[in-house]
Amino acid sequence: LMNKDVIKINQDSLGMPGYRMIKGHNGIDVWTRPIELNELPSYGVAFLNRRSDGMPYNYTLTPGDLNLTLSTGYLLSDVFSEHSYGHFTPSKHFTISIVPNGVTMVLVVPTLPPWTPILTNN
């Protein structure tokens, strides 16, 4: 395993467990884990597709749905594909595509204007 973002989430120094935020909504479970990435809380978020219809599923929600309420918002990026979803305030919707019986993992980093991540340690 050579993915640095997966390692950051998995081996985070906080040692906090992940917890399920959303259970089974449309066959999707959403898990979050706080991680120590900067001065404000960052998160690893995993979207688990339990659907059996054989199709990728587009799941739409807001950071606020995950109790992420920092008014300046968050930068979201896919841990595996390195795709940047962009900047999202707590009430702005974003859509994650999850393959059948698969997982999409997202790194969520808080921002300050002009929407740059607050990173202090790598």
Side-chain angles (χ1 to χ4, degrees), residues 39-52:
E39 296 171 7
L40 296 172
S42 295
Y43 298 88
V45 180
F47 297 84
L48 173 62
N49 187 345
R50 294 185 179 270
R51 298 169 58 94
S52 60

Side-chain angles (χ1 to χ4, degrees), residues 53-114:
D53 55 13
M55 300 293 295
Y57 186 76
N58 291 327
Y59 192 76
T60 300
L61 70 164
T62 68
D65 294 333
L66 302 173
N67 293 331
L68 302 177
T69 59
L70 185 64
S71 63
T72 55
Y74 302 86
L75 288 176
L76 280 66
S77 59
D78 187 296
V79 172
F80 299 116
S81 71
E82 298 182 3
H83 168 74
S84 174
Y85 291 100
H87 176 262
F88 295 87
T89 57
S91 61
K92 184 177 176 184
H93 287 89
F94 64 94
T95 300
I96 302 292
S97 182
I98 313 150
V99 298
N101 297 313
V103 173
T104 298
M105 187 180 293
V106 175
L107 181 62
V108 179
V109 178
T111 61
L112 291 175

Side-chain angles (χ1 to χ4, degrees), residues 14-51:
L14 285 178
M16 301 288 293
Y19 51 94
R20 187 168 39 197
M21 294 291 298
I22 300 170
K23 180 180 180 181
H25 182 258
N26 290 327
I28 306 297
D29 288 349
V30 182
W31 291 76
T32 64
R33 180 174 195 241
I35 58 175
E36 187 174 48
L37 201 69
N38 53 46
E39 296 171 7
L40 296 172
S42 295
Y43 298 88
V45 180
F47 297 84
L48 173 62
N49 187 345
R50 294 185 179 270
R51 298 169 58 94

